[in-house]
Amino acid sequence: MAAIDLGGTQIRAALIASDLTVEHRRSSPTRDEDGVDLVLDRICAMASEVVAAAAEPPAGIGISAPGPLDPWKGIVISPPNLAHWTDVPLADRVESAVGLPTFVERDTNVAVLAEWRHGAARGANTVIYVTVSTGLGGGLIIDGRPLIGPDGVAGEVGHLTIEIDGPLCGDGKPGHAEAIGSGTAIAREARLLLDRGEAPRLAALAVDREPDAALVAQAAAEGDGACAAVLERAWVAVGALCASLVNLVNPEVIVLGGSIAAHHPDLFDVVRREVDRRAF
């Protein structure tokens, strides 16, 4: 199987063998600002490269993409972190270009299935996966079954409200967890700090680049207290979200994933603390 992951920051591709070994990895910046058609061209090119590198033709192509989407028709509906992606027929476009059956599922549903079958939640019956990356999302396994919903968009945990009058999320709604705990939210707060002149170390680091979560973390590690406070608030938001999910679902396992979670082990400590503090 050829696998494609469409993210707000990166597109990744690989060939997954029947024994789950991963071969022929490819990656490219998404560069969503280039427009939908050019991003689709990039996805198709990477899929073609991976298929051409295979010793035998893959059985098909599986694509994980940001939601909301229609997994039955392979259409990306309107993801908050991809501009102008409205009712994009992603599966049809890739299938036409590469000539293999192509299927699309929401990235966090793919992730929770992988962790449940093969990873950190293997053997559990009720599982929550939370990704902390460009966006903040999740997927759920309830009593041994994926929670999909009648239109395929169940489990959008990043859009649970954790602060009634909080900042606007990418979908235009106030106070969602994603609006505080995601990489996009951290970058927004970084720009506000720079505008107010409240983060001197960040200002020095951001002379020739746009501030993002990685730069905020570097500034915090180098003593910028304002940046450290932004990260702490983001981690608390993820912890509050997880505590609410504990109350709602009573999971055996919560798996934290995503690029930010992978690079910030202190996030796990804050989430554990907040679950202890907030969960019923």
Side-chain angles (χ1 to χ4, degrees):
M1 176 69 76
I4 308 288
D5 176 52
L6 168 62
T9 304
Q10 290 281 322
I11 303 166
R12 296 181 176 89
L15 189 69
I16 313 299
S18 57
D19 63 358
L20 301 182
T21 55
V22 181
E23 303 172 341
H24 308 300
R25 292 178 183 266
R26 303 285 192 277
S27 66
S28 169
T30 305
R31 295 203 302 272
D32 183 47
E33 66 276 8
D34 292 347
V36 174
D37 283 334
L38 286 178
V39 175
L40 286 171
D41 289 344
R42 235 169 256 136
I43 294 169
C44 292
M46 293 178 68
S48 298
E49 287 178 21
V50 168
V51 169
E56 298 179 1
I61 299 171
I63 304 176
S64 69
L69 54 76
D70 183 333
W72 299 281
K73 296 180 180 179
I75 294 173
V76 178
I77 298 172
S78 57
N81 294 315
L82 290 174
H84 312 303
W85 281 65
T86 303
D87 298 332
V88 176
L90 178 56
D92 284 351
R93 179 74 174 261
V94 175
E95 187 166 319
S96 297
V98 185
L100 290 174
T102 301
F103 307 90
V104 175
E105 180 56 273
R106 196 176 77 209
D107 47 11
T108 49
N109 284 343
V110 173
V112 74
L113 285 168
E115 296 289 357
W116 177 48
R117 291 289 181 86
H118 306 292
R122 189 171 184 176
N125 205 40
T126 297
V127 178
I128 298 170
Y129 175 83
V130 177
T131 180
V132 190
S133 189
T134 304
L136 182 62
L140 290 85
I141 305 292
I142 306 294
D143 294 333
R145 293 177 62 114
L147 181 65
I148 303 298
D151 54 4
V153 298
E156 286 280 6
V157 301
H159 297 290
L160 294 178
T161 299
I162 62 169
E163 188 174 306
I164 293 173
D165 297 315
L168 292 182
C169 189
D171 63 359
K173 309 298 191 300
H176 291 179
E178 181 169 287
I180 303 171
S182 67
T184 300
I186 293 169
R188 180 200 67 228
E189 292 300 309
R191 289 189 291 271
L192 291 174
L193 289 177
L194 293 176
D195 289 344
R196 297 193 297 259
E198 295 176 358
R201 185 57 193 152
L202 178 64
L205 294 170
V207 170
D208 56 356
R209 60 178 283 192
E210 184 71 14
D212 56 13
L215 205 66
V216 172
Q218 181 181 345
E222 294 177 9
D224 194 315
C227 287
V230 167
L231 292 182
E232 173 70 12
R233 183 167 183 255
W235 302 166
V236 168
V238 178
L241 169 66
C242 289
S244 296
L245 292 170
V246 167
N247 290 342
L248 180 67
V249 177
N250 190 25
E252 296 160 74
V253 180
I254 297 177
V255 181
L256 297 180
S259 58
I260 289 179
H263 291 96
H264 295 280
D266 54 320
L267 167 64
F268 291 78
D269 296 332
V270 175
V271 169
R272 290 188 186 97
R273 182 193 76 201
E274 293 302 313
V275 170
D276 287 342
R277 187 162 79 97
R278 297 172 184 271
F280 177 72

